[in-house]
Amino acid sequence: MQTLASSHLLQYRCFFSDHFPKTHLQKSTVHRQNLTQLGSAFVSRASVSSNAHPIERKSSLAFLSPLEAILFDIDGTLCDSDPLHYYAFREMLQEVGFNGGVPITEEFFSDNLSGMHNEKLCSILFPEWDIQRARNFFEDKEAMFRRLASEQLEPVKGLHKLRQWIENQGLKRAAVTNAPRPNGELLISTVELSNFFEIVVVGDECDRAKPFPDPYLKALQALQVSHKHAFAFEDSVSGVKAGVAAGMPVVALGTRNPEISLINAGAAFVIKDFEDPKLWEALEEFERKAM
C-alpha cells in the first residue's frame, strides 16, 4: 500500500518550484549541492528578526574551564533540515485535512512543530485521533523526511572546522536529539560525523524528551562529565530549554528560529553558524586559559 510519504515525494520538486527561484532546481532532480540555495530561499523569520533587532550578548564561556565536553542537537544544528521537515509536515497535514485542508505556514511550523517530540505532537495535532493512528502518521512523515534528507542535506557552515578544534582539544562529545533514532543516525552519517560522537541520546529512549532535561542529563552521565564543564549547541526553543534545565549554557544557532525566542528560552548567545566570530572568540578564550 502506498504511504502518504511516498505519494508526495514526486510533488517535492513542484513545491520548491512554486516557492523558490527556478534557477535553484535541476530539470531532472534536486541534487544535494543545491541544498544551500534551497535553504537560503526558504523564508526565515530568524534572519528577519535578527536584522531588525540585533541582540548583544556576552559570548564568554570561560567559567566552564576546564572545558571537558560539547553536546550537539542534530536537526537544525548539524544541518539545516527544517525546510525538509516543513515540506513533509505541510504536504501530509494537508492530505489528512488538518486546518480544513489549508496548508500550514512556516510560522506555524516554527512556533508549534520545530524541535518538538512526535509523541507530544500526537495529542497537539490530532487530539481526536486514536494514538496508533497518530503514530502511524508520524512514522510516514519521518519516512518521507529521511528519503528527502538522504539526498538533500549538507552540514551547517563551519561544522567540520569545529569538529577539528574539538578533536584537537581532546573533548568528549555527544549528540542529543528528539528525532527518531533512524533520523538522527541518517543525519549524522550525511554530515560525515558517524565516528565523531561517543554517544547518541534519543528522546524516545529517555523518561522525558526535550524540553525536559532528561536527554542531556543522560548524555552527561554517559560521558561522565559535570554540567559545570560542558555546553550544548541547539537551534530550537525546546532544545535550548532542555540544555538550560540540565544546568548547561547553550549556544543557539539562529538558522530558523527568531533570535529573541532563543534568548528568551535561555540561550547564552546566538550564532549564525559554526564560523561565527562570536563562537570562535569564546573557544579561543578556552585555549588562552589552558596555556
Side-chain angles (χ1 to χ4, degrees):
M1 179 180 294
Q2 188 181 42
T3 65
L4 288 176
S6 60
S7 70
H8 282 294
L9 280 172
L10 293 178
Q11 298 179 29
Y12 178 61
R13 285 176 59 229
C14 297
F15 170 81
F16 278 114
S17 296
D18 291 340
H19 292 77
F20 303 107
K22 293 184 178 179
T23 55
H24 291 175
L25 298 172
Q26 299 291 338
K27 291 182 179 179
S28 59
T29 187
V30 181
H31 296 291
R32 284 187 61 189
Q33 59 263 36
N34 284 339
L35 178 68
T36 301
Q37 294 171 306
L38 293 175
S40 65
F42 185 83
V43 179
S44 173
R45 293 190 302 128
S47 62
V48 173
S49 174
S50 297
N51 291 337
H53 303 287
I55 300 170
E56 294 298 327
R57 300 277 290 190
K58 187 176 180 181
S59 59
S60 176
L61 297 170
F63 61 92
L64 296 172
S65 295
L67 182 65
E68 297 178 3
I70 300 180
L71 289 70
F72 290 78
D73 173 51
I74 298 178
D75 260 313
T77 299
L78 301 182
C79 50
D80 187 12
S81 49
D82 268 6
L84 301 187
H85 281 295
Y86 170 59
Y87 170 77
F89 268 122
R90 177 186 184 275
E91 295 303 293
M92 294 183 63
L93 286 172
Q94 186 176 14
E95 175 73 16
V96 299
F98 180 81
N99 193 34
V102 178
I104 63 168
T105 63
E106 181 197 348
E107 183 175 2
F108 178 88
F109 169 80
S110 297
D111 290 346
N112 300 282
L113 307 180
S114 179
M116 294 292 290
H117 189 255
N118 282 348
E119 198 71 12
K120 178 71 172 177
L121 290 176
C122 285
S123 58
I124 292 175
L125 294 179
F126 309 118
E128 298 179 358
W129 286 17
D130 68 75
I131 189 63
Q132 192 54 54
R133 182 186 178 193
R135 287 171 176 166
N136 289 343
F137 171 90
F138 283 103
E139 287 176 5
D140 281 350
K141 178 264 169 184
E142 299 301 349
M144 181 182 190
F145 168 79
R146 286 193 294 273
R147 292 170 70 176
L148 296 171
S150 64
E151 298 180 354
Q152 306 298 323
L153 293 181
E154 293 181 353
V156 168
K157 187 177 180 181
L159 177 61
H160 291 293
K161 176 184 176 182
L162 176 60
R163 171 188 182 169
Q164 188 64 56
W165 185 87
I166 292 171
E167 291 176 336
N168 289 345
Q169 300 300 312
L171 302 178
K172 297 180 179 181
R173 52 267 190 182
V176 182
T177 181
N178 264 0
R181 183 168 288 277
N183 286 31
E185 292 178 347
L186 171 64
L187 298 189
I188 288 172
S189 174
T190 298
V191 297
E192 301 179 350
L193 291 182
S194 295
N195 298 320
F196 176 68
F197 293 111
E198 297 169 50
I199 183 174
V200 177
V201 177
V202 176
D204 278 341
E205 299 165 10
C206 300
D207 290 337
R208 301 176 300 178
K210 303 175 191 177
F212 293 100
D214 302 38
Y216 277 114
L217 293 174
K218 182 176 181 179
L220 290 169
Q221 182 178 30
L223 295 176
Q224 296 184 321
V225 170
S226 167
H227 66 273
K228 296 179 181 179
H229 300 290
F231 73 91
F233 286 109
E234 274 283 356
D235 76 301
S236 70
V237 168
S238 173
V240 171
K241 288 180 177 179
V244 171
M248 294 183 295
V250 177
V251 177
L253 281 90
T255 47
R256 297 297 170 195
N257 289 296
E259 182 175 0
I260 187 62
S261 297
L262 298 169
I263 293 297
N264 288 343
F269 57 94
V270 178
I271 58 176
K272 178 181 178 182
D273 53 41
F274 294 120
E275 291 190 350
D276 194 306
K278 285 189 291 185
L279 172 62
W280 287 95
E281 177 184 342
L283 299 182
E284 289 163 5
E285 192 171 7
F286 286 120
E287 292 181 347
R288 291 193 295 269
K289 279 186 167 290
M291 291 180 179

